[in-house]
Amino acid sequence: MKVKPAEEERHVKANERDYNDRFLYADNHIKTSKYNVVTFLPINLFEQFQRVANAYFLVLLILQLIPEISSLSWFTTIVPLVLVLVITGVKDATDDYFRYSSDQQVNNRQSEVLFGGNLQIEKWMNVRVGDIIKLENNQFVAADILLLSSSEPYGLCYIETAELDGETNLKVRQALTVTADLGDDIDKLAHFDGEVICEPPNNKLDKFTGTLYWRDEKYPLDNNKMLLRGCVLRNTEWSFGMVIFAGLQTKLMQNCGQTKLKRTSIDKLLNTLVLWIFGFLLCMGVVLAVGNTVWEQRVGINFRVYLTWDDFLKNAVFSGFLTFWSYVIILNTVVPISLYVSVEVLRLGHSYFINWDRKMYCGLKDRAAEARTTTLNEELGQVEYIFSDKTGTLTQNIMVFKKGSINGKTYGEVCDEFGQKVDNITRSVCVDFSFNPLHDKRFSFHDISLVEAVKLEEPSVHEFFRLLALCHTVMSEEKSEGNLVYQAQSPDEGALVTAARNFSFVFRARTPETITLHEMGKAVTYQLLAILDFSNMRKRMSVIVRNPKGQVKLYSKGADTVIFDRLDESNKDLMHTTLEHLNEFAGEGLRTLALAYRDLDEDYLQEWMKKLLSASTVIENREDRLAGLYEEMEQGLMLLGATAIEDKLQEGVPETIARLNLADIKIWVLTGDKLETTMNIGYSCNMLRDDMNKVFVISGNSLLEAQEQLRGAKIHMLGLSRVNSAVDFEKTDTSADNTIAEYALIINGHSLAHALEPELEELLLDTACLCKTVICCRVTPMQKAQVVELVKKYKGAVTLAIGDGANDVSMIKMAHIGVGISGQEGMQAVLASDYSFAQFRYLQRLLLVHGRWSYFRMCNFLRYFFYKNFAFTLVHFWFGFFCGFSAQSVYDQWFITLFNIVYTSLPVLAMGLFDQDVNEQNSYRYPSLYKPGQLNLLFNKRQFFMGTLQGLATSFLLFFVPLGSLSLAVRDDGLQISEQQTFSVIVATSLVIVVTVQIVLDTHYWTAVNHLFVWGSLAVYFAISFAMQSDGLFRLYPHQFPYIGMNCP
């Protein structure tokens, strides 16, 4: 058997199956199901018995089959065990059957494969690496393929990636020019013999690194040349591609691995408590085993004449040893086998309540709230820290161009018909763009001076809008003459291109080599030489173009701090002026970008392009080498100005934040925006207030500066006039409540990078925790995750991260609970989240209503569950002292079997599903009701011990009250009233009534379901007891029902 070695790089030849088969690449058959008809039973049972509780009860069942130590029939354990195994098995089988059906449907899809010089219809499962396949419009892509050619000009094609990232907007992919010429010529495609050397299979959807070798030339390949499995071809009649990854090695399937399981604090506590209960069970077994040994030596010896020992019994110590195992069996119900199944049922129910909540449905987006996990509901009632993105989470992420700074002059002030500035936009005159036949009628602007500057052909103004029209990745679709529709991957880009369109710099079309604009009514085509892509690390994007006059320019836009660092020295004065304008814009809550350009020398460009081609065709460290070249090119820039885009707050954000603050939930905002923009939004959200004692801004550019600023802020807040030592200071108590409501901390990305170093991270956390509001601006996605991890590491508090974009995914996965907003930036955050909804304001309902109720219900359920199990089981312990420690059972064996699965299961489930201490209106009105969950007051080790002590006391009374009442009582004929059956039925009936009364007392909110389950279960107990204690069943099955009926003669 061949064993496939670890893949370092992949070699694939087109139309060469024999060559590709040597590498043992995966075929295109997928299998996500775990079982088949033969393997289901053994594999599923093996998986289930890996759970400690199931394995424990299996051992008990085996012990019960040993007659020397078992006083209970095997069915008392096997019935609940089989019930749990069957319920779980049916669920697993159902889930796996759906996976199997889905696999079969996908594997049997058909695709056209080029084989033997002809196109043949093949099932997807038969497609192989290196095959060339044909796709038609609206078809799913069968595998990860390299786009070779398409029906569209220049080898372009459009795809929808909803199955990959949830986004429904169309994306563009583009074939290499040399392969695009192959077209749909079957003969040329059949003789295509190119070889691709690329990265090995991985799960990075947005990255591909490879090189095509063909006709003694090398061509760089990236993600824009790839069509991934799961995409759908749209608006493209046909396309051809070469299979690079197939089946389980495709990027879609590589992303199907199980995500890290998040466990709640209650889960962890339950595991600890079950271990304690098991230890308590062993202790009781030891006590009763010792009691048996002593009793046999001192008392039992007197009855040996007619109570003879079995042959295998040698002495009293061995009798005690056997008795230990007997009591482990008889007391096993103290370890609750049905607990975990019951907990999962409750969590599933709580998740459906979230999904069904119409008050969390957004009609505008036609999207309801969704619980994407069932394991974290009660943790929603214990959140202490919320980490929120700003753009698209607190704001609408619907961008509109509002203001600009061009060559030191600002445009965009709202003016009336006389040109005077006004504060009320309704009193201003909207600019008339009718002079431009291609303008967007939905766009509005209120400063006529910018239109006049365009019409006067001011060079800087024209260059400003030319940059906006050229430097982007937007795709244009002209549905009819002059009716342009822009497909933008981010709202920012769409807003800026739309602004340029209205000011007569209209982006009309693009090809792989050109961009066509409509400038002042004239069509102008620019040669596109290079695109220097935007990334979260670069925080900028650039394009290199050649205009019709032959001039070559680099146009760049990005974060002001990044652009300003790369400006030519001659821009110093203009930079200071523009910076003032940027601060004004940010103070109004506007999002800003800086714009710059550079004139390029032809010789330098050619030399740089050679380096770019070389870096683009290497496999290893391609990104680093490209980043170095981009950095080299983006130097000596000339500043053009800056843009300001408005992004309004979502509805209900200030009220939501205020209510969450009253619930003592700390909200930290982590954003990539400017400090001034973030501060303005902070005031709008009521996170920052004028009545705060002080707002600390940490902006140190070195570790030492950041340390001094953080220490100064901490000293100020704690009111310390002097500090003995740095060590003492770091250990100063930061839990003073009187400082929390008075201060705010704002820290920028540079300072945060230093503050997250190991030597400063605790100082950062201590200082931040003294503040009511914490805002981190200019942060990267990785820094967001690091901040969340810092709080998790040192505070031990439940954290929640909420965001709407791909840059929020890392913090969403890092937090205990991740919430995704289905906004304007695609669905990446939603797909990575545990819960999702359409607007930030629904967060208060998720936490204060659903979260608090889930925590309250789960805690009440667990307290009662442990109470009733201890009350039920410990009666056997007391009885041991009165039966010679013989492991005799108090109850009828059928009662033991049915107690947890029939008599008491439904009432406690009803309480766990429907109970409420207060209604939802009062949950909003009194947010402080949320605090017990944060302090973990409703179920903890103390509450567990109180419940078990109550169960212990109940069992004591249930045993000794009937015993005292019946032990000396006699009938009229002088015979004793009490015998084992009577005593057993009295204790069992008392137990059922007492635990039912207890759940009646514990239930705060009664529904029809509660009444049905509580009183119905009680009625079922009496009905079954009457049947089992009558002589009818005894006469039919005397061995299964050994108790003689009360009416039996």
Side-chain angles (χ1 to χ4, degrees):
M1 178 180 176
K2 294 182 179 179
V3 178
K4 184 180 182 299
E7 209 173 323
E8 294 184 359
E9 65 179 19
R10 172 159 292 209
H11 293 250
V12 182
K13 278 190 177 180
N15 297 310
E16 287 283 350
R17 282 196 173 186
D18 292 338
Y19 173 82
N20 297 322
D21 286 346
R22 295 187 312 179
F23 298 99
L24 302 178
Y25 295 142
D27 59 24
N28 209 37
H29 177 272
I30 64 165
K31 182 178 182 293
T32 59
S33 58
K34 294 194 293 184
Y35 316 112
N36 58 40
V37 176
V38 176
T39 62
F40 171 72
L41 199 59
I43 293 179
N44 187 257
L45 287 177
F46 175 75
E47 290 174 343
Q48 292 205 54
F49 283 120
Q50 286 184 316
R51 298 168 188 163
V52 176
N54 291 348
Y56 165 72
F57 280 92
L58 178 63
V59 172
L60 281 179
L61 178 60
I62 295 171
L63 292 176
Q64 282 182 271
L65 297 177
I66 305 173
E68 288 78 11
I69 62 174
S70 178
S71 59
L72 292 177
S73 297
W74 53 269
F75 63 77
T76 59
T77 296
I78 200 170
V79 170
L81 178 59
V82 167
L83 186 65
V84 169
L85 294 177
V86 167
I87 291 174
T88 307
V90 168
K91 174 182 174 295
D92 292 343
T94 303
D95 292 344
D96 202 62
Y97 176 75
F98 286 127
R99 286 193 292 266
Y100 169 78
S101 300
S102 176
D103 290 346
Q104 291 300 104
Q105 180 188 5
V106 171
N107 286 329
N108 288 308
R109 285 177 180 167
Q110 294 185 334
S111 186
E112 292 184 86
V113 181
L114 185 59
F115 192 71
N118 296 302
L119 286 173
Q120 300 179 4
I121 301 296
E122 286 282 359
K123 293 181 178 179
W124 275 23
M125 68 174 74
N126 298 325
V127 172
R128 307 265 282 278
V129 170
D131 287 352
I132 291 178
I133 63 176
K134 180 182 180 182
L135 297 173
E136 295 183 345
N137 193 35
N138 297 327
Q139 272 191 349
F140 279 95
V141 181
D144 290 354
I145 67 175
L146 170 66
L147 179 63
L148 297 178
S149 62
S150 76
S151 58
E152 299 301 299
Y154 310 104
L156 292 173
C157 76
Y158 299 90
I159 57 172
E160 181 183 284
T161 60
E163 282 205 10
L164 294 177
D165 54 21
E167 297 185 22
T168 56
N169 59 311
L170 298 184
K171 296 182 175 62
V172 180
R173 294 295 183 263
Q174 166 196 336
L176 290 166
T177 304
V178 291
T179 62
D181 294 338
L182 296 173
D184 59 349
D185 189 320
I186 300 301
D187 186 59
K188 288 182 179 179
L189 289 164
H191 287 89
F192 176 69
D193 59 353
E195 180 179 6
V196 172
I197 300 178
C198 65
E199 63 190 14
N202 59 72
N203 61 359
K204 297 176 182 177
L205 295 172
D206 57 349
K207 177 188 173 189
F208 178 79
T209 304
T211 304
L212 172 66
Y213 293 82
W214 189 40
R215 296 175 177 171
D216 300 324
E217 295 288 341
K218 296 191 299 183
Y219 304 96
L221 303 176
D222 57 27
N223 202 50
N224 289 325
K225 309 291 189 297
M226 296 293 293
L227 307 183
L228 301 184
R229 181 189 181 110
C231 297
V232 181
L233 196 67
R234 300 291 192 198
N235 299 347
T236 307
E237 186 178 345
W238 54 261
S239 67
F240 284 88
M242 169 185 169
V243 177
I244 305 297
F245 301 119
L248 297 175
Q249 293 181 336
T250 58
K251 291 182 181 286
L252 173 65
M253 299 307 297
Q254 292 280 307
N255 275 279
C256 290
Q258 292 187 349
T259 56
K260 182 181 177 183
L261 178 66
K262 293 183 178 181
R263 297 172 59 210
T264 67
S265 56
I266 285 184
D267 274 335
K268 297 170 185 175
L269 178 60
L270 276 182
N271 289 337
T272 302
L273 296 181
V274 168
L275 290 175
W276 286 4
I277 293 171
F278 182 68
F280 179 60
L281 168 62
L282 295 180
C283 290
M284 287 193 295
V286 169
V287 170
L288 295 168
V290 171
N292 176 265
T293 301
V294 174
W295 188 89
E296 288 289 355
Q297 288 176 340
R298 297 187 179 182
V299 181
I301 194 170
N302 299 324
F303 303 94
R304 199 70 47 76
V305 176
Y306 57 90
L307 292 178
T308 59
W309 275 353
D310 293 325
D311 295 336
F312 60 83
L313 278 178
K314 297 176 181 165
N315 53 52
V317 174
F318 188 63
S319 173
F321 173 75
L322 295 179
T323 300
F324 169 79
W325 294 107
S326 298
Y327 272 111
V328 167
I329 294 171
I330 205 169
L331 297 171
N332 74 77
T333 50
V334 78
V335 179
I337 185 174
S338 58
L339 174 63
Y340 290 100
V341 174
S342 301
V343 166
E344 290 307 315
V345 170
L346 292 185
R347 286 173 171 167
L348 183 64
H350 296 164
S351 297
Y352 277 119
F353 292 155
I354 294 173
N355 295 342
W356 294 338
D357 191 344
R358 295 185 62 83
K359 294 182 179 178
M360 296 175 70
Y361 170 77
C362 179
L364 186 64
K365 297 181 180 178
D366 190 26
R367 187 170 296 277
E370 180 184 7
R372 300 172 55 83
T373 179
T374 61
T375 59
L376 301 174
N377 296 319
E378 66 270 15
E379 196 116 292
L380 289 171
Q382 298 180 277
V383 173
E384 290 188 58
Y385 288 88
I386 292 175
F387 301 91
S388 175
D389 178 40
K390 183 187 77 69
T391 305
T393 303
L394 301 178
T395 61
Q396 297 178 15
N397 204 15
I398 299 175
M399 310 296 184
V400 180
F401 178 80
K402 284 294 181 183
K403 291 187 177 184
S405 170
I406 305 175
N407 198 28
K409 182 179 179 181
T410 61
Y411 298 91
E413 296 293 347
V414 180
C415 302
D416 58 18
E417 61 270 25
F418 304 108
Q420 300 298 314
K421 294 181 181 179
V422 294
D423 295 328
N424 190 350
I425 196 170
T426 58
R427 293 172 51 201
S428 67
V429 178
C430 189
V431 172
D432 181 11
F433 290 103
S434 59
F435 68 92
N436 176 10
L438 295 175
H439 77 281
D440 187 339
K441 295 180 176 62
R442 296 168 298 179
F443 181 82
S444 63
F445 198 73
H446 298 270
D447 188 353
I448 191 68
S449 64
L450 185 54
V451 176
E452 297 296 334
V454 171
K455 291 179 178 180
L456 291 173
E457 299 187 1
E458 292 186 15
S460 58
V461 175
H462 277 211
E463 199 72 349
F464 179 90
F465 286 113
R466 185 176 290 117
L467 186 153
L468 295 183
L470 290 171
C471 187
H472 57 78
T473 59
V474 174
M475 295 300 300
S476 174
E477 184 180 357
E478 195 159 356
K479 296 191 173 181
S480 60
E481 182 62 31
N483 182 18
L484 295 172
V485 176
Y486 291 147
Q487 293 278 355
Q489 294 191 24
S490 76
D492 300 69
E493 278 199 330
L496 294 176
V497 174
T498 300
R501 169 185 176 180
N502 280 270
F503 286 96
S504 296
F505 284 77
V506 185
F507 166 60
R508 293 295 294 264
R510 75 187 311 142
T511 72
E513 287 87 17
T514 64
I515 297 178
T516 300
L517 304 185
H518 211 71
E519 295 183 1
M520 304 299 290
K522 298 178 182 178
V524 181
T525 299
Y526 292 82
Q527 185 181 355
L528 180 60
L529 303 176
I531 297 178
L532 284 60
D533 296 320
F534 172 87
S535 73
N536 287 319
M537 296 299 295
R538 284 170 38 78
K539 294 186 177 180
R540 63 191 183 277
M541 175 198 175
S542 302
V543 295
I544 301 175
V545 296
R546 180 181 282 115
N547 64 22
K549 296 178 181 179
Q551 298 171 327
V552 180
K553 288 192 176 185
L554 170 106
Y555 290 110
S556 187
K557 68 179 182 183
D560 55 82
T561 52
V562 175
I563 298 296
F564 288 173
D565 288 343
R566 290 159 177 79
L567 292 178
D568 187 79
E569 288 293 327
S570 60
N571 289 255
K572 198 168 186 180
D573 293 337
L574 178 58
M575 184 186 75
H576 289 304
T577 304
T578 305
L579 184 59
E580 291 178 4
H581 296 161
L582 283 169
N583 291 334
E584 290 176 13
F585 299 156
E588 298 172 25
L590 302 177
R591 291 166 57 87
T592 59
L593 286 176
L595 312 181
Y597 73 97
R598 177 185 177 186
D599 293 312
L600 297 178
D601 177 71
E602 189 70 38
D603 293 335
Y604 170 75
L605 175 67
Q606 295 305 320
E607 185 67 28
W608 185 84
M609 291 294 287
K610 289 179 183 178
K611 295 179 185 177
L612 181 67
L613 178 61
S614 174
S616 300
T617 54
V618 299
I619 303 296
E620 293 185 2
N621 300 321
R622 178 184 292 186
E623 290 186 352
D624 293 340
R625 294 182 63 176
L626 289 175
L629 285 172
Y630 293 169
E631 184 70 26
E632 175 190 329
M633 176 58 72
E634 295 166 325
Q635 298 293 330
L637 302 178
M638 303 299 292
L639 184 61
L640 269 175
T643 62
I645 299 173
E646 182 181 44
D647 184 15
K648 292 183 179 179
L649 276 180
Q650 290 183 19
E651 178 187 352
V653 168
E655 296 82 1
T656 298
I657 290 176
R659 189 166 282 136
L660 293 175
N661 281 333
L662 291 174
D664 204 22
I665 298 174
K666 293 99 179 159
I667 302 176
W668 294 17
V669 174
L670 312 177
T671 178
D673 276 346
K674 281 176 62 68
L675 183 145
E676 292 81 7
T677 304
T678 309
M679 286 185 67
N680 183 275
I681 295 295
Y683 281 106
S684 302
C685 295
N686 291 331
M687 294 183 68
L688 299 175
R689 303 187 313 276
D690 292 330
D691 61 353
M692 283 183 163
N693 286 26
K694 190 173 179 63
V695 176
F696 297 98
V697 177
I698 310 299
S699 56
N701 291 318
S702 67
L703 188 144
L704 186 61
E705 288 179 9
Q707 182 182 33
E708 288 302 315
Q709 291 177 6
L710 286 170
R711 282 170 56 85
K714 185 175 179 181
I715 291 172
H716 183 95
M717 285 185 281
L718 291 176
L720 300 177
S721 58
R722 60 186 179 87
V723 179
N724 293 328
S725 70
V727 175
D728 292 338
F729 178 72
E730 305 301 336
K731 295 181 179 178
T732 304
D733 181 22
T734 60
S735 61
D737 292 335
N738 61 333
T739 63
I740 293 178
E742 300 174 352
Y743 300 99
L745 179 72
I746 301 175
I747 183 169
N748 66 23
H750 288 302
S751 298
L752 185 62
H754 297 302
L756 288 171
E757 294 291 332
E759 56 266 39
L760 286 189
E761 60 180 14
E762 289 191 64
L763 174 60
L764 168 65
L765 184 63
D766 289 345
T767 307
C769 289
L770 287 168
C771 299
K772 183 70 174 177
T773 295
V774 177
I775 298 175
C776 304
C777 54
R778 293 296 197 194
V779 296
T780 65
M782 185 56 65
Q783 286 176 328
K784 291 183 178 184
Q786 289 173 332
V787 172
V788 177
E789 185 180 24
L790 180 66
V791 174
K792 285 177 64 178
K793 179 180 177 181
Y794 290 108
K795 300 301 291 184
V798 177
T799 58
L800 181 149
I802 180 169
D804 74 314
N807 60 334
D808 303 315
V809 168
S810 54
M811 76 168 178
I812 284 174
K813 288 185 174 181
M814 178 60 67
H816 292 97
I817 302 167
V819 177
I821 300 284
S822 49
Q824 304 293 322
E825 292 190 22
M827 299 289 285
Q828 297 97 322
V830 169
L831 295 175
S833 68
D834 305 303
Y835 300 89
S836 68
F837 40 72
Q839 294 188 338
F840 182 84
R841 61 192 172 98
Y842 297 138
L843 183 62
Q844 61 178 321
R845 184 167 181 83
L846 183 70
L847 298 184
L848 301 185
V849 178
H850 289 288
R852 204 183 68 81
W853 278 351
S854 293
Y855 174 72
F856 172 77
R857 291 163 177 166
M858 185 63 72
C859 292
N860 280 0
F861 165 83
L862 292 172
R863 276 204 312 269
Y864 176 79
F865 200 99
F866 285 118
Y867 157 75
K868 77 177 178 69
N869 268 41
F870 271 74
F872 166 57
T873 305
L874 293 185
V875 171
H876 292 295
F877 180 77
W878 308 120
F879 187 51
F881 292 91
F882 293 87
C883 67
F885 303 97
S886 61
Q888 175 69 34
S889 170
V890 177
Y891 308 116
D892 169 19
Q893 297 188 33
W894 283 101
F895 179 80
I896 295 174
T897 304
L898 299 176
F899 178 76
N900 270 323
I901 62 176
V902 175
Y903 301 149
T904 60
S905 60
L906 294 180
V908 69
L909 282 177
M911 181 180 72
L913 284 172
F914 303 112
D915 205 19
Q916 302 174 15
D917 55 344
V918 297
N919 59 27
E920 61 183 67
Q921 290 80 14
N922 283 327
S923 295
Y924 284 134
R925 189 176 302 163
Y926 305 107
S928 58
L929 290 172
Y930 189 83
K931 294 180 182 179
Q934 297 172 324
L935 300 174
N936 204 22
L937 296 180
L938 300 188
F939 187 75
N940 49 40
K941 293 172 184 176
R942 182 178 181 277
Q943 292 292 329
F944 168 75
F945 282 121
M946 294 297 292
T948 55
L949 285 176
Q950 183 185 1
L952 181 70
T954 301
S955 70
F956 184 88
L957 295 174
L958 286 172
F959 178 78
F960 284 103
V961 170
L963 181 67
S965 302
L966 299 176
S967 59
L968 301 178
V970 295
R971 300 191 308 189
D972 293 339
D973 57 4
L975 296 176
Q976 277 193 325
I977 291 176
S978 178
E979 31 71 36
Q980 189 180 2
Q981 180 188 15
T982 304
F983 181 73
S984 172
V985 172
I986 291 174
V987 173
T989 303
S990 301
L991 171 66
V992 172
I993 292 173
V994 167
V995 297
T996 300
V997 169
Q998 184 62 51
I999 202 168
V1000 169
L1001 296 174
D1002 286 346
T1003 300
H1004 300 75
Y1005 181 75
W1006 285 85
T1007 66
V1009 176
N1010 292 82
H1011 282 291
L1012 176 64
F1013 284 177
V1014 170
W1015 311 122
S1017 296
L1018 202 57
V1020 166
Y1021 165 73
F1022 282 108
I1024 293 177
S1025 295
F1026 179 79
M1028 287 190 174
Q1029 305 305 323
S1030 65
D1031 60 347
L1033 286 176
F1034 170 70
R1035 293 183 186 279
L1036 291 173
Y1037 309 103
H1039 296 294
Q1040 282 77 18
F1041 300 94
Y1043 281 2
I1044 300 174
M1046 297 295 290
N1047 299 320
C1048 185

